[in-house]
Amino acid sequence: MNDNAVTNFHPGLDLITEFAAGSLPLAQSACVSLHINHCCHCQQTAGQLADLGANLFEAQEPVPVDDTLLHAVLARLDEEKPLEYANKKSTEKGTPAILQRLMRGDFSDLSWKNIGATLRISYLKTGDPDHEVALYHIRAGGRIPQHTHRGTEMTLVLEGGFSDANGSYHKGDFLVRQADDVHAPTALQSEDCICLAVLDAPLKFTDWKFRWMNPFLKLRTN
Amino acid sequence: MLSVKNSSDGQGGSPVDHTGKRTDEWSECLTLIAQHEDRAAFTRLFRHFAPLMKAFALSGSTLSANHADELVQEVMLKVWQKAGAFNADKAAASTWIYTIARNCRTDLYRRLQKFDTPLSAEDVSESQDSEEAFMLLHQKRSRDRIRTLIKDLPPEQAHILTKVYMAGKTHSEVAADLDLPLGTVKSRVRLALQKLEIQLER
Ligand SMILES: [Zn+2]
């Protein structure tokens, strides 16, 4: 499933820990899990962190459970299993399952909003009230206007790649930008770039030509 | 590339093993449930894990006792229904069960907050997909190491880990809770993970 040899940018240990402990907000978890399912290194770390969780789980002081609860569960064992438990292997090639779920279809079914000639954005509804999740499609060689962040921006490269002053990023790479990091990513010359971005506050364009857009860039959570 | 032979599909009954396969009590229970719908095995599993699940439900603070019982029921039913997907080569029984409990608790929180989402916690959780013998062995070693080393953690580090995992709080929430700077929380977690030899593998 994973062709992960080229992944060079990973989530930090803090983030994978929150992910493994289940405390990471939904939209951010989705982004981290898309990376992890693509990266055998982080998969291993996440596995160890889940094992740690299990140890802490078993070390808890048990809270007595009434026998009526056991009988209630025993009485329900004959219930029909939900269908999806039968084979939950979604190892098809192509679009990851999480994205299919969020897009309700394919890339071509999405509604895109053009921003200049080289960038278009499609917002996805995750239900997470505090995060905006969007796909960014940058044409080959195209540049995203210089912008800064008011909050945290997570980015995962889904197709193609892009570069900015700090490096160049390819499929599967995961990045976090904090408030006040200014950058102007440029897609690689060879192919279009599609990224998933998760924001907890709206972007702010610093390039004067695009500043007029700022009032329109409200955080969209659904 | 090495891959584990005849791992995922049936190995015909015998729980014995010379290839390093886990044969602890709880994975045996899960296997009995998967293969024979064994209710006695399920009951043993329930008696051990249900009280832990209840503790786990309640340490998340906001759940009422009723919701905690509801969660225990839901998780145990899932354990029964999904036992066929458990693979002792890939995961410890306790990790497999903990992961289900964690996901169900997260989903319950979101349901109670009237979150309207197409994604379940399981959809966005880690997949244990690796079949490579080297990885599985590595994982098993690290699991044994964690089990041993966790006993020697300094209390304040163990306490922070419990907050992070059992209370299910983000690092910032833990910091606010304990009235500590975020940096202190992060560095305690980091030190604890270092002692447990959990690191980024890259
Ligand atoms: Zn990684």
Side-chain angles (χ1 to χ4, degrees):
Chain A
M1 165 184 185
N2 22 21
D3 49 331
N4 38 42
V6 293
T7 305
N8 285 315
F9 295 87
H10 312 260
L13 193 53
D14 302 356
L15 220 46
I16 305 180
T17 305
E18 289 179 336
F19 173 79
S23 61
L24 208 58
L26 178 63
Q28 296 190 336
S29 287
C31 192
V32 170
S33 83
L34 280 167
H35 171 82
I36 286 181
N37 292 339
H38 182 84
C39 171
C40 61
H41 304 293
C42 290
Q43 218 172 83
Q44 217 168 320
T45 306
Q48 292 172 0
L49 287 163
D51 285 331
L52 168 58
N55 274 289
L56 295 162
F57 180 78
E58 287 206 281
Q60 293 175 109
E61 190 65 48
V63 175
V65 167
D66 205 88
D67 257 2
T68 51
L69 200 61
L70 170 61
H71 294 123
V73 179
L74 286 172
R76 292 181 61 191
L77 295 186
D78 294 321
E79 281 179 16
E80 195 114 0
K81 292 183 198 187
L83 262 177
E84 77 249 28
Y85 293 178
N87 44 7
K88 184 96 190 183
K89 278 248 164 215
S90 57
T91 40
E92 297 163 56
K93 286 241 158 40
T95 317
I98 295 177
L99 282 181
Q100 284 177 3
R101 196 73 64 87
L102 289 175
M103 298 189 307
R104 299 149 206 262
D106 217 333
F107 282 116
S108 52
D109 301 328
L110 293 169
S111 73
W112 295 93
K113 191 180 165 70
N114 288 306
I115 300 205
T118 52
L119 169 67
R120 52 183 196 153
I121 300 181
S122 180
Y123 295 96
L124 302 178
K125 183 182 178 337
T126 61
D128 183 331
D130 305 314
H131 293 87
E132 171 183 295
V133 178
L135 292 169
Y136 283 53
H137 179 177
I138 322 166
R139 297 225 174 282
R143 206 181 126 204
I144 293 193
Q146 188 180 69
H147 62 276
T148 164
H149 306 114
R150 286 174 252 220
T152 305
E153 179 189 60
M154 280 184 186
T155 308
L156 182 80
V157 182
L158 294 167
E159 295 294 338
F162 72 88
S163 59
D164 64 14
N166 300 312
S168 84
Y169 318 101
H170 301 90
K171 185 172 176 170
D173 279 343
F174 178 98
L175 292 135
V176 180
R177 293 277 178 261
Q178 300 300 345
D180 303 326
D181 286 344
V182 179
H183 68 151
T186 305
L188 302 181
Q189 294 300 328
S190 49
E191 55 182 319
D192 286 13
C193 174
I194 300 176
C195 292
L196 181 80
V198 177
L199 282 81
D200 62 4
L203 290 183
K204 193 163 118 195
F205 285 111
T206 41
D207 190 324
W208 65 271
K209 277 178 298 192
F210 292 93
R211 264 186 217 158
W212 62 271
M213 289 198 51
N214 288 334
F216 302 101
L217 292 170
K218 297 212 176 78
L219 195 69
R220 292 157 190 257
T221 55
N222 43 40
Chain B
M1 189 190 305
L2 294 168
S3 73
V4 174
K5 288 171 191 79
N6 64 28
S7 62
S8 49
D9 29 40
Q11 67 282 53
S14 135
V16 208
D17 195 283
H18 32 273
T19 59
K21 190 171 288 177
R22 299 183 61 84
T23 52
D24 66 276
E25 187 180 355
W26 309 127
S27 34
E28 276 166 29
C29 282
L30 287 173
T31 310
L32 286 168
I33 293 168
Q35 293 178 353
H36 309 290
E37 303 199 339
D38 187 327
R39 287 170 186 244
F42 179 77
T43 304
R44 283 206 298 285
L45 208 69
F46 187 99
R47 293 206 189 280
H48 178 72
F49 283 103
L52 295 172
M53 283 171 198
K54 186 150 181 182
F56 178 66
L58 292 172
S59 61
S61 75
T62 50
L63 291 184
S64 66
N66 278 343
H67 281 134
D69 283 348
E70 190 187 304
L71 187 73
V72 172
Q73 242 191 85
E74 191 190 329
V75 176
M76 288 307 306
L77 191 61
K78 243 185 192 166
V79 166
W80 171 266
Q81 292 176 332
K82 303 185 90 167
F86 170 70
N87 181 342
D89 290 330
K90 291 190 182 177
S94 60
T95 304
W96 188 79
I97 291 171
Y98 157 71
T99 307
I100 294 178
R102 179 200 67 192
N103 290 342
C104 286
R105 187 176 76 173
T106 304
D107 285 335
L108 177 60
Y109 284 156
R110 291 186 182 141
R111 275 204 305 280
L112 292 173
Q113 290 172 51
K114 310 244 183 311
F115 244 69
D116 176 21
T117 175
L119 298 174
S120 69
E122 190 186 336
D123 291 330
V124 298
S125 80
E126 61 278 61
S127 66
Q128 299 288 331
D129 254 358
S130 176
E131 303 263 338
E132 288 175 52
F134 166 77
M135 290 263 286
L136 296 174
L137 183 64
H138 188 82
Q139 194 81 28
K140 161 119 181 44
R141 285 213 187 110
S142 125
R143 191 179 304 142
D144 297 341
R145 216 162 46 218
I146 293 169
R147 201 174 278 276
T148 323
L149 294 174
I150 200 166
K151 299 186 181 98
D152 303 326
L153 280 185
E156 93 247 7
Q157 288 172 20
H159 181 58
I160 290 263
L161 285 185
T162 305
K163 279 267 178 200
V164 166
Y165 276 89
M166 295 304 109
K169 291 184 188 293
T170 62
H171 292 355
S172 330
E173 287 164 348
V174 173
D177 244 37
L178 299 179
D179 207 9
L180 289 171
L182 178 59
T184 309
V185 169
K186 286 192 171 183
S187 72
R188 279 190 197 166
V189 171
R190 210 160 269 194
L191 281 171
L193 297 181
Q194 233 168 55
K195 292 219 172 80
L196 300 173
E197 298 177 26
I198 296 176
Q199 57 207 357
L200 297 168
E201 315 271 344
R202 13 200 99 150

